[in-house]
Amino acid sequence: MADRPTGPLSGLLVADFSRVLAGPYATMLLADLGADVVKIEAPGGDDTRAWTPPVRDGISTYYLAVNRNKRSVALDLKDEHDRGLARELAGRADVMIENFRPGGLERFGLGYDDVAAGNPGIVYASISGFGTTDKGRVLPGYDLIVQAMSGLMSLTGAPDTEPFRSGISVFDVMAGMHATIGILAALNARHETCRGQHVEVNLLSSALSGMVNQTSAYVAGGVVPQRMGNSHPSLYPYEPIPCADGELIITSGNDVQFRKLCDVLGAPELADDPRFTSMAVRNAHREELRPLLVERLKARTKMEWFRDIIAAGVPCGPINDVSQGVGFAEEIGLEPVVEVGEGEAMVPSVRHPITLSETPADYRYPPPALDEHGAEIRAWLSGGGGDR
């Protein structure tokens, strides 16, 4: 039906019943790697189409961020004919992904049990906010709510400020990545069993896993972490420190790096000071150490220090805005921006984060207009089989 994509997932058909962020991010990762992703949208379209500003040529940049390499068909699942087409797609797919409220697709005959009965090889991925238990399934799965309820917001901000949300929907993105991992694992298992399975991911579990050392502090150590601003609970220095013209992040992860930092700053004696000779004592005396570091760093600009401290083997970096972050990636040769599509339809997009030496990511289609591929997909599904 369409040009065959290339890539390690070429030949896989993904029925994408998800919307907003976690699911669409997962399916975009799969699409970049060659999967044929059919995005099923309600007649009104994915919610993110209306999430503006900002826009590019009148289109939400939020929507553009996570929907390249897909084809769109608008189906009204309350309509019997459209519902039949949706079931036909699910019956042909290798992977189906959805983030309806738990059980929300069952009334349309599109729950896991119904789909797997006719398509036992299906890898069916469900993303929810709080899981499928009786208590979890009724809770709305918004990233901000999970940031609040998981404890992340209690850790974000300074000790004397209110809690803050992350600057991105971090757990939506994390759950999307976890869903992708689960899908790939289930596909690998299918090679042995010839059967698919139900992959379930929820934002709260992704949050608790992704908070790593902070959740471990409580689970393994009985310590409830608190907000520390930009400081780290276990490492020092590991935070922004003022220079002559702004702040520089300095991350001294061990005693050797701290000694190198002291040498660069022209204060080798600090590394031998009994208050600062090990990470444990530096943490205990951080309020005494910080002004000594500030005194020396204030003598020069952050970029002057950046070059010298990096050259000495100590991790550090200036605090950039997003444009500077993209620019820095370009400066070091990562080529972070790719052009997807041609001519007036071209959309600049952020490069897929994984580099594969033999089967690289592919950028075939710009994010589709609502129902852009609807006629061809409906004709294909109504035809009773044939090429994808």
Side-chain angles (χ1 to χ4, degrees):
M1 169 172 79
D3 292 339
R4 288 280 187 181
T6 61
L9 301 183
S10 178
L12 287 176
L13 176 63
V14 177
D16 182 5
F17 284 81
S18 69
R19 63 258 201 234
V20 185
L21 182 52
Y25 184 69
T27 55
M28 184 181 73
L29 295 177
L30 297 173
D32 288 350
L33 297 176
D36 180 10
V37 175
V38 177
K39 181 178 178 68
I40 298 90
E41 300 188 69
D46 192 309
D47 289 352
T48 60
R49 290 183 182 274
W51 287 8
T52 60
V55 299
R56 176 184 174 84
D57 298 331
I59 303 173
S60 161
T61 59
Y62 201 121
Y63 170 78
L64 294 177
V66 291
N67 284 291
R68 66 177 175 235
N69 283 339
K70 304 175 187 181
R71 293 176 294 141
S72 169
V73 57
L75 297 176
D76 182 356
L77 297 182
K78 296 178 181 179
D79 176 84
E80 184 177 356
H81 180 261
D82 281 7
R83 191 162 59 247
L85 294 178
R87 290 172 179 165
E88 178 67 21
L89 177 61
R92 300 188 193 185
D94 297 288
V95 175
M96 177 171 166
I97 184 167
E98 58 90 14
N99 59 355
F100 283 66
R101 183 167 289 195
L105 283 179
E106 291 176 2
R107 70 183 190 273
F108 303 118
L110 288 164
Y112 172 66
D113 289 340
D114 288 325
V115 173
N119 182 1
I122 189 77
V123 172
Y124 186 113
S126 298
I127 302 174
S128 64
F130 295 90
T132 59
T133 65
D134 289 343
K135 292 182 178 180
R137 66 190 296 125
V138 300
L139 300 174
Y142 286 83
D143 180 275
L144 180 57
I145 295 173
V146 177
Q147 288 195 35
M149 297 186 73
S150 66
L152 178 70
M153 288 181 64
S154 76
L155 303 174
T156 309
D160 57 350
T161 69
E162 72 274 16
F164 288 111
R165 67 179 288 270
S166 169
I168 63 165
S169 296
V170 61
F171 295 139
D172 268 332
V173 173
M174 195 174 293
M177 291 190 289
H178 288 164
T180 304
I181 294 167
I183 288 167
L184 296 176
L187 287 170
N188 187 65
R190 191 175 73 172
H191 291 312
E192 297 294 329
T193 65
C194 297
R195 297 188 62 84
Q197 58 185 294
H198 195 182
V199 176
E200 296 183 83
V201 173
N202 69 80
L203 271 66
L204 181 58
S205 293
S206 287
L208 297 179
S209 172
M211 288 158 61
V212 288
N213 60 302
Q214 301 287 28
T215 43
S216 179
Y218 171 69
V219 171
V223 174
V224 178
Q226 302 296 320
R227 288 192 299 283
M228 298 181 64
N230 290 315
S231 297
H232 193 285
S234 307
L235 304 176
Y236 195 84
Y238 197 96
E239 63 185 26
I241 302 180
C243 300
D245 63 343
E247 292 185 316
L248 182 70
I249 299 285
I250 297 178
T251 59
S252 174
N254 55 53
D255 297 339
V256 172
Q257 289 180 349
F258 180 68
R259 181 170 293 277
K260 290 178 179 179
L261 173 65
C262 294
D263 289 343
V264 174
L265 296 180
E269 69 279 2
L270 292 180
D272 295 316
D273 189 310
R275 297 171 296 174
F276 313 135
T277 52
S278 71
M279 187 66 73
V281 296
R282 284 196 296 279
N283 277 318
H285 296 279
R286 60 175 64 195
E287 296 305 320
E288 298 164 58
L289 176 55
R290 180 177 168 83
L292 299 176
L293 298 176
V294 171
E295 177 185 358
R296 287 155 180 83
L297 287 161
K298 280 279 194 179
R300 301 173 67 197
T301 69
K302 59 185 179 182
M303 291 310 296
E304 288 173 334
W305 281 123
F306 170 67
R307 287 188 288 269
D308 288 352
I309 294 173
I310 282 289
V314 180
C316 68
I319 300 174
N320 290 332
D321 63 23
V322 174
S323 68
Q324 292 168 326
V326 173
F328 179 70
E330 291 173 339
E331 179 184 328
I332 63 174
L334 294 182
E335 300 180 351
V337 179
V338 293
E339 295 183 349
V340 186
E342 299 178 353
E344 294 183 358
M346 187 278 292
V347 176
S349 192
V350 176
R351 182 179 294 278
H352 189 92
I354 301 169
T355 299
L356 297 171
S357 63
E358 299 297 327
T359 52
D362 187 19
Y363 308 97
R364 303 178 299 283
Y365 312 129
L370 176 61
D371 203 42
E372 179 177 341
H373 309 91
E376 64 175 289
I377 292 171
R378 280 187 285 270
W380 168 61
L381 293 173
S382 298
D387 191 8
R388 289 174 178 170

